[in-house]
Amino acid sequence: MDNHKLLEVKELKKYYPVTGGLFSRHLGDVKAVDGVSLYINEGETLGLVGESGCGKSTLGRTILRLEEPTGGEIIYRGTSVTGLDKGELRELRREIQMIFQDPQSFLDPRMTVGQSIGEALLIHGVKDETERLQRVAEILERVGLEAQHALRYPHEFSSGQRQRIGIGRALILNPRLIIADEPVSALDVSIQAQILNLMLDLRDEFGLTYLFIAHDLSVIRYVSHRVAVMYLGKIVELAEKDEIFHNPLHPYTEALLSAIPTIGQKKKARILLPGSVPSSLEPPSGCRFHTRCHRVLPVCPQEGPPLKDNGHGHLVACHLRGVR
Ligand code: SF4
C-alpha cells in the first residue's frame, strides 16, 4: 500500500435546509455530515462504519459530488475538486466510481447489461461499438460472469450476479477510487463472502483504493486497512483496523464491538445502546453521543470533544481520553 494521499476531505459539511410555514421559513438544517476530515492513501481501504442514519452514505455521495457540499474541501490527487464545473466533474467521475447497495437502482430494466455497462464508455468518448463490446465482455468475465451475459436483462440475474454487474460497471472506466456503499448488506451471507473476495482481488489486481461504507463491523474488519467510526454526522474514532478492534477508545465503538460475535475469544459483556441515533436536525448538545453513552461525564452535554490524536494516529473524540 502506497502512503500517498489519494483523497482528502477537510471539514466537509452537507446540510439539508428544513423549511415550513406560510412563507417557507428556514426552520433549521439537517446536518447529515458536519465537519468531517479524513484521508485515504493510494491502494488503501478505509472502512467507514456507523448505524443507519449516521451520515456515512451522504458522506460518500458528497465526496463524489452526487450531493453538493455545504462547506469544506475535497482534495483528489492534490487538487481541490470542490468547485469543479460539469465537464470537469465528468472527468473526475471517470476516476472515482461508486458501487451501490442495490444495483437495481441504477440498472435500467429496459437495457441489456451490455448496454448499461457500455453506456459509461460511450459517455466518456469510446465511440467505436466493437471496442465497447470487447471491453464489456472482458469486464464481465473479470467479475465472474460470462461475455454472453451482456445480452441479458437485469431481471434475469440473481442479486449476487447483479452486484457483480454493478462492480463491472464501476470498473469499466479504470477508476482509481471506488466508493462502495453497503455493497453486500442486501446479499445472503454465503454470497457476501464471494463479493468481498472479488472486491479484494480486484483491489490488488487494479491497484484500487476503496472507501468502504458498511454498518456491519465483521465486513469492515474483513476488508479494511483503517477504520473510521461515524456518529451523527461526525467521525468519533479513526485508527488502524487492529487498533480499533483490539483497543477501541470511544464508548460508541466499544458498544458496536460488543455486539459482534467472537470465536475463540472471551466474550465481553454486551453494551446495549439505548434508543436509536437522534435526529441530526436537532442533535444533542456537547458530545452528540451523550444521550446514549454508558460513560457519560458531567462535562459531556456542555462541550463537544474535538477529534484528537491519542497516539500513533489513533484519533478519538471523547472527554475520557487524554490528549497528547
Ligand atoms: Fe461519552 Fe462523554 Fe466521551 Fe461523549 S465525550 S463519548 S458522552 S464519555
Side-chain angles (χ1 to χ4, degrees), residues 9-50:
V9 300
K10 293 183 178 172
E11 285 298 312
L12 195 63
K13 295 188 174 103
K14 177 62 194 174
Y15 294 175
Y16 298 97
V18 177
T19 53
L22 197 55
F23 302 106
S24 295
R25 256 183 339 115
H26 180 226
L27 302 176
D29 294 296
V30 170
K31 295 176 177 171
V33 175
D34 198 12
V36 165
S37 299
L38 51 79
Y39 65 85
I40 313 177
N41 287 325
E42 189 118 41
E44 181 184 40
T45 297
L46 178 68
L48 180 63
V49 71

Side-chain angles (χ1 to χ4, degrees), residues 84-156:
L84 296 186
D85 62 28
K86 267 191 175 167
E88 293 166 325
L89 262 183
R90 194 182 310 141
E91 277 312 300
L92 179 72
R93 292 201 181 121
R94 182 196 280 267
E95 302 233 347
I96 309 180
Q97 289 283 316
M98 195 146 183
I99 298 173
F100 298 89
Q101 176 179 350
D102 176 15
Q104 293 268 73
S105 61
F106 63 81
L107 288 174
D108 186 332
R110 296 158 302 180
M111 286 167 83
T112 65
V113 162
Q115 286 168 333
S116 281
I117 298 179
E119 192 183 32
L121 289 172
L122 189 60
I123 291 169
H124 285 90
V126 182
K127 300 261 187 299
D128 185 88
E129 193 182 2
T130 312
E131 185 187 344
R132 284 203 307 275
L133 291 174
Q134 177 66 27
R135 284 175 63 178
V136 168
E138 282 168 11
I139 207 72
L140 283 174
E141 286 178 352
R142 186 57 201 87
V143 297
L145 296 169
E146 294 168 24
Q148 75 227 34
H149 284 153
L151 300 173
R152 296 198 192 162
Y153 289 87
H155 73 269
E156 299 178 63

Side-chain angles (χ1 to χ4, degrees), residues 250-252 287 289-290 293-297 300 305 317-320:
H250 196 282
Y252 180 54
C287 172
F289 186 57
H290 84 258
C293 182
H294 55 288
R295 294 171 178 256
V296 62
L297 304 168
C300 301
C318 176
H319 291 305
L320 285 170

